[in-house]
Amino acid sequence: MSTSFVNKVVVITGAGLGMGRLLAIGAAQRGARVAIWDIDAVNGESVRAEVGDQARFYQVDVTDKEAVKKAADQVAADFGRVDIIINNAGVVSGRPLSELTDEQIERTLGVNTLSLFWVTRAFLPYLRKRSRAKIVTTASAAGLIAPASMTDYSASKFAAVGFMDALRAELTRDHKENGAADISTLTVTPYYISTGMFDGVTTKFPALLPILSPEYAVKRILRFIECDRQRLMMPRFIVLTALAKLSPPIVSDHVLNFLGLNHAMDNFQGRQGKVEK
């Protein structure tokens, strides 16, 4: 079974920059109407102008559950329906635990994890009104493996992966056992993407673990939505790296060290705390 974007209403969080911007443009090019969510009004309005009449911009702090609920209701009222939500907003600190402030830790968990609960829960009643709908979350390969200098980020992304796994089980059970709407999920776990969010990161083996271009990543995400796939790992080598976590720590730690993952953030200069993907 496949999913067409034509005439669908797609909500994208963190859509003012990077991958969110490209997802909004790509969805609109495929025939969707797009609700652009971002905390930055200037960036959000800029993307809305790029997309054109198919889009509306909503200034939303995804960590504010009351604001999220209000904006979700407004989107449903403006568009008349909601078919696909893409949880794309994210932040990174890129510092060892001893250097992280309380505010950075809380911000990372708020944007990368808690917002998934607020956004998804706010839109569920509207998604359930459709015969078929989709929930997409951009997690991270750091939600499968946990390198150094990523304690808050990896914790938030491991939680995102777990959230989506449990949500998929709930939605599948409700559809099969209770006749609820067919709401499918897609969990995306990419390696580093060159949007500016991870400027300065390095990769020891670019042939195996390349730093991905946002254009490539977005093309794959949109394609996986259309094909109704449930999991997207980029690049494919991430699958083998993630399997190393099933080994004893002495083995998995050696693998991460050999691949250079524990030093990938040594020269990190990305946009710390900037809400985007």
Side-chain angles (χ1 to χ4, degrees), residues 80-99:
R81 60 191 280 181
V82 179
D83 300 281
I84 300 170
I85 62 170
I86 303 179
N87 292 304
N88 172 75
V91 296
V92 63
S93 301
R95 293 290 180 265
L97 177 61
S98 60
E99 297 178 14

Side-chain angles (χ1 to χ4, degrees), residues 187-252:
T187 305
V188 184
T189 53
Y191 192 56
Y192 299 117
I193 300 175
S194 59
T195 61
M197 186 172 175
F198 282 100
D199 278 354
V201 300
T202 58
T203 182
K204 185 177 179 181
F205 297 105
L208 298 176
L209 291 169
I211 295 176
L212 306 169
S213 75
E215 292 79 12
Y216 169 81
V218 166
K219 181 179 179 180
R220 295 272 288 166
I221 292 169
L222 294 173
R223 181 58 181 157
F224 268 55
I225 293 173
E226 291 174 324
C227 293
D228 276 336
R229 301 285 290 275
Q230 294 180 317
R231 181 170 295 165
L232 171 57
M233 297 182 181
M234 299 182 284
R236 291 184 177 88
F237 189 76
I238 287 295
V239 177
L240 297 178
T241 306
L243 289 176
K245 293 297 293 182
L246 301 177
S247 306
I250 192 172
V251 175
S252 60

Side-chain angles (χ1 to χ4, degrees), residues 123-193:
F123 280 109
L124 262 180
Y126 301 109
L127 296 175
R128 284 175 171 150
K129 293 180 180 179
R130 314 305 304 159
S131 58
R132 298 181 65 234
K134 190 103 181 167
I135 299 168
V136 182
T137 290
T138 305
S140 171
L144 305 172
I145 53 176
S149 298
M150 300 280 271
T151 52
D152 59 334
Y153 188 78
S154 281
S156 72
K157 294 302 184 178
F158 266 83
V161 171
F163 170 83
M164 290 296 285
D165 284 347
L167 180 65
R168 182 181 68 251
E170 286 182 17
L171 296 173
T172 301
R173 179 195 62 193
D174 289 347
H175 173 61
K176 291 183 176 180
E177 297 181 7
N178 303 320
D182 183 7
I183 304 175
S184 60
T185 65
L186 170 62
T187 305
V188 184
T189 53
Y191 192 56
Y192 299 117
I193 300 175

